[in-house]
Amino acid sequence: MASYWGSARSDEAHHRAFANSLCVGAYIDRKQVGFARAITDYTVFAYLADVIIWPEHRGQGIGIRLVQALIDHPDLKTVSHWSLSTNDAHSLYQKFGFEIDGRYMRLERNPAA
């Protein structure tokens, strides 16, 4: 799947990045239709990255569910600082409370510890 943020990466780089992140996928009838990951220390900080929905499945709320799955993931329940960078999906992330902070967007929250 081509993307503006990942097209220059090698398969090896993708595999190494994914192996060192918390990854989630979206599936319909056992076929993958989306992907997202959090680069995280599992305690305080998480960087939302590589959110992608296959073109034929966009506009169905799958991206919202993927992002929500990461934010609500039990292993990330204490994470209070989330950030991300996007060129084109600001409105998606604003639905979760992310705010524009220059090139980046951030979400500060106070989860139950």
Side-chain angles (χ1 to χ4, degrees), residues 21-85:
S21 302
L22 177 62
C23 300
V24 295
Y27 298 84
I28 296 175
D29 296 327
R30 296 187 172 173
K31 289 186 164 189
Q32 188 169 8
V33 299
F35 175 85
R37 69 186 178 111
I39 304 159
T40 183
D41 64 5
Y42 292 92
T43 305
V44 177
F45 176 81
Y47 184 88
L48 189 59
D50 298 346
V51 178
I52 189 165
I53 306 302
W54 290 205
E56 62 272 22
H57 296 283
R58 292 179 184 159
Q60 300 174 31
I62 297 168
I64 290 170
R65 291 194 298 271
L66 273 177
V67 172
Q68 193 71 61
L70 283 170
I71 290 174
D72 292 344
H73 195 284
D75 291 347
L76 304 178
K77 68 181 178 183
T78 64
V79 170
S80 57
H81 178 81
W82 287 80
S83 64
L84 63 91
S85 176

Side-chain angles (χ1 to χ4, degrees), residues 5-21:
W5 43 258
S7 60
R9 295 182 202 157
S10 68
D11 284 346
E12 179 184 341
H14 280 294
H15 289 283
R16 192 170 70 222
F18 300 162
N20 289 290
S21 302

